[in-house]
Amino acid sequence: SIPEVIGFKKALFNPESSESISDKIAEALTDRDFYSLLKENALARAKEFSWKRTASKTWKLINDYCLSVRKDSCSPILKMECIREMSKAIQPFKGDKPFIRELSRCIYDIYADKKNKKSIYIDLSVLSKSDAGTGIQRVSRNIRDLLPEAASGYDVAPVRKCRTMTGYEYSRKFLNSPRCDSVIYPQRGDVLFFPELTMPQVIAQKNYLLQLKERGVKLIALIHDLMPIRHPETCQEKILSFFSDFIDIIAFFDGVICNSKATADDFEKWLAEKFPQRHGVCFIDWFHLGSEFNPANVSESLSEEEENAICELKKRNTFLMVSTIEPRKRYDQVLDAFDELWNSGADVNFVIVGRAGWRIEKLLERLNNHPESGIRLFWFSGISDAFLNRIYDAASCVIMASVAEGFGLAVIEAASYSKPLILRDIPVFREIASENAFYFDGMDGNALADCIRKWLKLYDRGEHPKSDGIKSLTWHESIKMLFDRLKKYI
C-alpha cells in the first residue's frame, strides 16, 4: 500500500536491500532538488486523503449496493438501516479502533446533510437512571413528553451519555424503537438540549461538546437557578463540587433558557461578572413552568389512612408547604412560627409535603418528635399526585418561605387550585404572583407568626389577597412557550 499512498515512484526504494535504502536516504539529504520534490509531493498527497473523502467513497458503495439490490432508487429507509448498522458496529470499540469511529461519524455527516428534519436531542442522562420526583425532574418529564408535539418540525429524541465512550446514545428507557442505544452524531443545525443538572457528564465531555458547537450544533441548557453560587451554604456538597465547573462550561454554550425572568436576570448578571467576553454572545431567555397534574394519576383512589388524613385537614384552617425539605426553603422558620401560634392558642394545621433533603438533621429530629405530630402537624413524603391533589384541595393557604428560588412550582400549583398564598418577598415570587399574594420579610419565627396572624384576620373578613389573578400555564402551554423561545435561536 505504500507506493499507492505516496504516489511518487522516485521516492521508493527496494525494501529488501539495505544498500537501496541507504542510497535513497543519502539522495534525500544531499540532493536539494530531490528534497524539494519530496516536500511538494508530501503536501500534494496529504490533500488527497481525508475522512470526508473516505466517507464519501464508502457512502457511494452503500448506494451502489442498494441499487444492486433494488433496481429503483435506494429508499431512505434502507439507507437509514445501513447507518444504524454502522452505528451499532462501532459501539464495542472503546478507543482501540478510533479510525472506525471517525469513519462512521463522517459517513453520518453525509447522511445528515440529506435528513428531512433537523434534530433536537434532549439529554436525560440523570432521569434515565432514576426519577427522584424532584421539581427539576418533573420539568424534565414534561419536556420529554410534550416537546415532540411542540417542535413538530424537528425530530425530537431523548438521549443519555454513552456508557462506554464519549458522546450520546438514544435512551432505551424512553424509546421503544430500533434506535435504542445507538450512538447519535449531531450535525450542523441540530440542537443538544440540557434540561437537567447533568454536571459530571457535561464536565467529562467538555471538549467533545465544544467541538460539536464548532461544527454548528447548537448547545442550549435550561438553568433552574444559581443557588450553588448565590447560596452555597444551602446546597449539598456534591452539588457544590461540580456546579462551578459545570456553569463555567455552560457559559460557552450557544445559550441558556431559564425558568423565570428573575433567573435569567441573575444568570446575565453572573455572566457579565465572570465572562464579560460572553455577555451578548451567549443568548439568555426565559419561560414559565406548567402546573397541572396528570389526570390519570389524580383520579387514583386514596387509602383509608390517606382519607382519614384529609378529614383531619378539613377540621381547621390548614397551611401547606410543598417542596423538598432543605435549608433554603426555611422550614425551620415556618415551624418556629407555628410553634408560637400553637402556644398562643391558634388552632391551625401545618402540613408539609416533600422528601427529606440535606443538611436538615436537627429539623428532621424535631419533626419526628414534635408533640403536634399527627395532630396539627403533618408531614407526607413520596406521596401520589392523587393524594397531593386532595391535600391542595383541603388547604386554606400555601406558604413558601424560600430565601431564593429559580421559579417556585408550588406557587403556580396553588394558584391553579385558587389557594391563597403567603410568600417571602423575593423577586421571582413578585414576578409570578405580583399583587396576588400576601408577602412577608424577616428571618425568624416571630416575624412569620405575626404575618400569619394578620393574614388570618384578613381571611376571616374575606379581604386577603386572592391568587385568582395569577396566570398559571398548563404543561402543554409551558412547553410550547419553551419551544417558541428556543426556535428564535435555532
Side-chain angles (χ1 to χ4, degrees):
S1 65
I2 299 299
E4 179 183 346
V5 173
I6 292 177
F8 186 33
K9 191 173 182 179
K10 290 185 177 180
L12 303 178
F13 52 79
N14 180 356
E16 297 180 355
S17 168
S18 57
E19 184 179 356
S20 176
I21 297 172
S22 176
D23 289 345
K24 191 58 66 175
I25 293 174
E27 185 180 4
L29 291 173
T30 59
D31 188 331
R32 290 181 178 274
D33 292 337
F34 177 60
Y35 180 69
S36 296
L37 288 173
L38 287 175
K39 290 177 65 175
E40 291 172 7
N41 180 72
L43 292 172
R45 292 301 290 172
K47 293 177 182 178
E48 296 295 315
F49 297 88
S50 70
W51 284 117
K52 185 174 182 179
R53 178 168 294 192
T54 304
S56 296
K57 289 185 177 182
T58 310
W59 181 255
K60 184 177 184 302
L61 288 172
I62 292 173
N63 276 321
D64 290 346
Y65 171 73
C66 293
L67 289 170
S68 71
V69 174
R70 297 179 49 155
K71 292 183 179 179
D72 55 339
S73 60
C74 176
S75 72
I77 294 175
L78 191 52
K79 288 182 181 179
M80 191 59 227
E81 287 298 326
C82 294
I83 293 299
R84 188 177 296 133
E85 289 306 312
M86 293 197 69
S87 180
K88 288 179 182 177
I90 69 167
Q91 288 194 72
F93 298 106
K94 302 178 182 179
D96 54 330
K97 301 288 185 182
F99 69 92
I100 293 182
R101 192 153 59 242
E102 189 62 31
L103 174 60
S104 184
R105 283 198 178 120
C106 290
I107 292 174
Y108 202 94
D109 282 348
I110 297 169
Y111 163 73
D113 290 341
K114 305 178 187 301
K115 287 195 301 183
N116 293 325
K117 289 184 177 181
K118 297 298 183 183
S119 297
I120 298 178
Y121 300 108
I122 310 171
D123 178 12
L124 296 178
S125 298
V126 176
L127 194 62
S128 292
K129 290 182 178 179
S130 64
D131 186 348
T134 64
I136 288 178
Q137 290 190 308
R138 180 177 292 183
V139 177
S140 297
R141 289 197 305 273
N142 280 285
I143 291 174
R144 175 199 67 198
D145 296 340
L146 302 177
L147 189 58
E149 178 185 340
S152 57
Y154 285 78
D155 179 22
V156 181
V159 299
R160 65 185 180 193
K161 184 186 179 301
C162 291
R163 289 164 292 181
T164 59
M165 56 186 280
T166 299
Y168 291 87
E169 61 191 11
Y170 292 103
S171 173
R172 175 182 292 276
K173 186 172 183 179
F174 303 131
L175 278 177
N176 182 21
S177 86
R179 297 194 293 185
C180 293
D181 289 344
S182 60
V183 179
I184 67 165
Y185 299 110
Q187 307 302 313
R188 179 175 298 278
D190 289 344
V191 178
L192 191 52
F193 182 50
F194 300 81
E196 299 186 293
L197 285 175
T198 51
M199 295 184 289
Q201 295 88 342
V202 167
I203 293 168
Q205 301 195 112
K206 173 184 176 181
N207 292 336
Y208 165 73
L209 292 172
L210 295 181
Q211 285 171 8
L212 287 182
K213 182 174 180 289
E214 289 177 3
R215 292 169 60 184
V217 177
K218 297 285 187 180
L219 304 180
I220 302 174
L222 172 54
I223 300 297
H224 295 270
D225 58 62
L226 295 180
M227 223 62 66
I229 293 175
R230 303 305 192 198
H231 298 277
E233 72 283 355
T234 68
C235 298
Q236 295 169 285
E237 291 296 334
K238 64 180 181 180
I239 297 292
L240 294 175
S241 65
F242 285 118
F243 192 82
S244 180
D245 290 339
F246 169 75
I247 201 72
D248 284 358
I249 296 170
I250 298 300
F252 288 84
F253 277 17
D254 293 279
V256 303
I257 302 286
C258 299
N259 57 355
S260 66
K261 185 177 183 300
T263 302
D265 290 343
D266 195 21
F267 183 84
E268 186 168 16
K269 181 180 178 182
W270 170 82
L271 190 67
E273 295 168 353
K274 184 72 181 288
F275 298 105
Q277 74 276 22
R278 294 293 298 161
H279 193 248
V281 178
C282 170
F283 78 79
I284 304 169
D285 215 324
W286 57 274
F287 75 115
H288 279 168
L289 304 182
S291 62
E292 89 279 12
F293 296 108
N294 184 330
N297 295 337
V298 171
S299 63
E300 294 175 2
S301 59
L302 303 188
S303 67
E304 183 179 352
E305 183 180 1
E306 290 170 336
E307 289 288 2
N308 290 337
I310 295 297
C311 289
E312 288 298 317
L313 302 189
K314 290 182 176 180
K315 289 181 179 179
R316 55 186 69 86
N317 286 327
T318 293
F319 294 84
L320 172 64
M321 284 185 73
V322 181
S323 70
T324 301
I325 304 175
E326 45 107 341
R328 70 183 167 89
K329 304 293 185 177
R330 289 308 313 270
Y331 276 95
D332 57 337
Q333 180 187 2
V334 182
L335 187 55
D336 286 345
F338 279 95
D339 277 341
E340 182 178 329
L341 290 168
W342 289 323
N343 290 334
S344 65
D347 188 22
V348 294
N349 290 326
F350 175 36
V351 179
I352 298 170
V353 176
R355 299 176 187 271
W358 48 92
R359 296 185 177 183
I360 54 164
E361 290 77 11
K362 291 183 180 179
L363 177 60
L364 292 183
E365 183 179 355
R366 187 177 168 195
L367 286 172
N368 290 325
N369 298 301
H370 200 284
E372 291 286 348
S373 180
I375 303 172
R376 292 184 292 186
L377 172 63
F378 302 86
W379 174 25
F380 303 108
S381 175
I383 64 175
S384 67
D385 279 355
F387 191 21
L388 179 56
N389 175 57
R390 293 284 299 280
I391 292 172
Y392 264 121
D393 200 43
S396 308
C397 179
V398 173
I399 297 176
M400 286 201 73
S402 306
V403 293
E405 284 285 350
F407 184 75
L409 198 54
V411 173
I412 294 299
E413 287 181 350
S416 70
Y417 285 91
S418 297
K419 295 300 174 181
L421 290 155
I422 295 177
L423 306 176
R424 189 181 299 279
D425 198 352
I426 59 176
V428 70
F429 290 162
R430 286 284 182 178
E431 174 186 340
I432 296 169
S434 187
E435 300 305 315
N436 301 290
F438 195 77
Y439 293 94
F440 74 95
D441 292 308
M443 300 300 289
D444 59 22
N446 293 332
L448 181 55
D450 288 344
C451 171
I452 294 173
R453 290 190 186 97
K454 292 175 184 176
W455 183 90
L456 283 167
K457 290 179 181 179
L458 293 172
Y459 183 66
D460 289 341
R461 300 197 299 266
E463 297 174 359
H464 62 287
K466 313 295 194 300
S467 66
D468 298 344
I470 297 174
K471 170 61 177 173
S472 61
L473 302 177
T474 66
W475 276 110
H476 278 88
E477 291 171 331
S478 171
I479 303 307
K480 182 181 183 303
M481 185 179 182
L482 167 63
F483 181 68
D484 286 345
R485 297 292 201 264
L486 279 174
K487 69 183 181 182
K488 293 190 298 183
Y489 309 102
I490 63 176

